[in-house]
Structures are given as C-alpha cells and as structure tokens.
C-alpha cells in the first residue's frame, strides 16, 4: 500500500457505541493530522501529531480521543458521539508539522451517528 | 469566523474554455496557499501552491494568481477538460506553520 490509508471507509454507530478510526501512512512522514469535513463547511483541523506527540488540539470535545502509537499510525477513538458528529473524517500526513508545504490526505472515513 | 472563503459553490465551464476558481482570505499573516482537488470517494489531492512572496505560479494547464493587497487568489485552468470535473479546495497556511485553513470548496463541472 502507498500513501495514506484510512479504515473503515464507512461507519454507522449509535450514540452509546465505542468505535475507532484508523489511519496509516506509508510516506515516511513524521506529522499526522485529523480533519473533519461536514456538509457545506470548510475542513476543520482536529488534531496534529508530530513524532507521536500531540502538538495541536483545536478545542475538540473529549468524546473524540486521538492516539498516535508511532509515526506511521494514527487512531481516532469515538465514544458517546452525537448525531451532529456525522461527517467525513480525513487523515493527513506531512513531512514536518511546522512549515509543512503539502498535506497528503487519505480517502476519509464517512461516519454516521444515529 | 471563516478565514478562507470560496464564495462560489459551483461552476460549469465548456470543455476547452478557461475555468477560474476564486478564493478570498482574511488573515494577512498567511504565508503559503494551496489548491486541492477532490473526486467523490477520494481524499483531497494537492494540485498547485504559491508562496506569499510570489504573485503567480504555473504548472502546465494550472496557474495560481495571488493578489496580497486584495487578499485574493485564483486558480486558472486552461484549457478545461472533462477530467477536471471535481471539487476544488483553497487552503492557506497559518503563521504557526502547522495549521492549514480550508475553504468550503467549489464544484467544477466541465461540459464536453
């Protein structure tokens, strides 16, 4: 596999469920990101990780919990979500968390919260 | 408040003609601007970028223009091809270097 891979591509969950989104990058990058794309809204940055350390957390509710066990993998743990959390969740990576020129995105995980 | 705005949600252009996609921003500290292209069921892919110290960058059929005084950039595609039909996102890099601000996207349809 090459690039940035996200699984699952589609997820439907109830408000009381616990699930996780997974992202894996095969580019040798050392920064990884979670973005949220809601309908008719711009992409919103959620989290930035550099070398497995979180360097940015954009006031995201605690029901979203990121985890970065190594520079190639990024998870987004989900629990007690709300219907308004339904969105496309995009993972991205870059060569550096500071002064990065380009983000490489995965195909996204489409989340529906019932 | 949105710092990067794409005021046209959609655009239709005849094949062979020029497509012009526009983007406005509010933060004068943005130092780097990018355009991404997104097909359905795929993630955004990088298309072209421009540094704030330049006013034009060209790559084949794609040219990005930056007008810093107006806080405006545009993407020109010429000639437009049906395969260019996609959603185009404008993005700007913040002064901390690790935040990219995106617009809401413009859906381009190139009619054969």
């Amino acid at each position: 596999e090459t690039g940035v891979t996200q699984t699952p591509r589609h997820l439907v969950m109830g408000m009381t469920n616990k699930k996780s989104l997974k992202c894996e990058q095969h580019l040798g990058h050392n920064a990884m990101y979670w973005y949220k794309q809601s309908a008719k809204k711009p992409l919103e940055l959620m989290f930035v990780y550099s070398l497995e350390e979180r360097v940015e957390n954009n006031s995201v509710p605690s029901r979203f919990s990121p985890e970065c066990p190594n520079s190639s993998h990024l998870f987004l743990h989900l629990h007690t979500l709300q219907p308004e959390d339904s969105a496309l969740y995009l993972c991205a990576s870059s060569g550096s968390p500071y002064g990065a020129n380009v983000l490489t995105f995965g195909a996204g995980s489409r989340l529906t919260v019932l | 408040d949105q710092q990067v705005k794409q005021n046209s949600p959609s655009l239709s252009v005849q094949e062979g003609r020029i497509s012009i996609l526009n983007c406005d921003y509010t933060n004068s500290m943005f130092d780097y601007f990018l355009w991404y292209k997104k097909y359905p069921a795929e993630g955004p892919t990088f298309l072209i970028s421009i540094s704030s110290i330049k006013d034009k960058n060209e790559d084949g059929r794609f040219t990005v223009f930056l007008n810093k005084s107006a806080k405006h950039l545009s993407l020109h595609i010429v000639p437009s091809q049906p395969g260019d039909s996609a959603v185009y996102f404008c993005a700007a890099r913040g002064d901390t270097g690790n935040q990219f601000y995106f617009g809401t996207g413009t859906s381009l349809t190139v009619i054969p």
Side-chain angles (χ1 to χ4, degrees), chain B residues 31-48:
Chain B
D31 65 348
Y32 197 75
F33 303 88
L34 310 91
W35 285 95
Y36 280 83
K37 176 179 179 180
K38 185 179 185 300
Y39 292 117
E42 295 183 14
T45 56
F46 170 72
L47 188 59
I48 192 170

Side-chain angles (χ1 to χ4, degrees), chain A residues 9 33 35 37 40-43 45 48 56 58 88 90 97-103 105-107, chain B residues 2 4 32 34 36 38 41-46 49 89 93 96-104:
Chain A
R9 294 294 307 276
Y33 309 73
Y35 277 85
Q37 185 185 15
K40 298 185 180 179
K41 289 187 177 180
L43 273 70
L45 177 65
V48 181
E56 196 75 40
N58 272 8
L88 180 67
L90 290 162
Y98 300 103
N101 286 353
V102 178
L103 297 176
F105 284 91
Chain B
Q2 268 185 256
V4 177
Y32 197 75
L34 310 91
Y36 280 83
K38 185 179 185 300
E42 295 183 14
T45 56
F46 170 72
S49 63
F89 291 95
R93 187 176 69 189
T96 59
N98 65 0
Q99 284 238 27
F100 289 83
Y101 297 86
F102 285 81
T104 50

Side-chain angles (χ1 to χ4, degrees), chain A residues 8-91:
Chain A
R9 294 294 307 276
H10 299 273
L11 178 63
V12 179
M13 59 187 289
M15 292 167 60
T16 58
N17 292 157
K18 289 185 180 181
K19 297 285 185 184
S20 296
L21 306 180
K22 178 183 176 182
C23 177
E24 185 174 359
Q25 60 98 358
H26 308 269
L27 301 167
H29 288 167
N30 57 24
M32 297 187 77
Y33 309 73
W34 278 116
Y35 277 85
K36 176 184 177 182
Q37 185 185 15
S38 303
K40 298 185 180 179
K41 289 187 177 180
L43 273 70
E44 302 170 54
L45 177 65
M46 300 176 73
F47 302 103
V48 181
Y49 273 83
S50 167
L51 297 172
E52 301 112 58
E53 287 193 23
R54 191 187 312 178
V55 297
E56 196 75 40
N57 176 353
N58 272 8
S59 303
V60 179
S62 59
R63 57 185 184 269
F64 295 92
S65 175
E67 178 190 1
C68 188
N70 55 62
S71 60
S72 298
H73 294 85
L74 184 66
F75 295 89
L76 188 63
H77 303 300
L78 316 169
H79 63 99
T80 59
L81 293 192
Q82 306 297 312
E84 59 264 29
D85 296 322
S86 298
L88 180 67
Y89 289 85
L90 290 162
C91 174

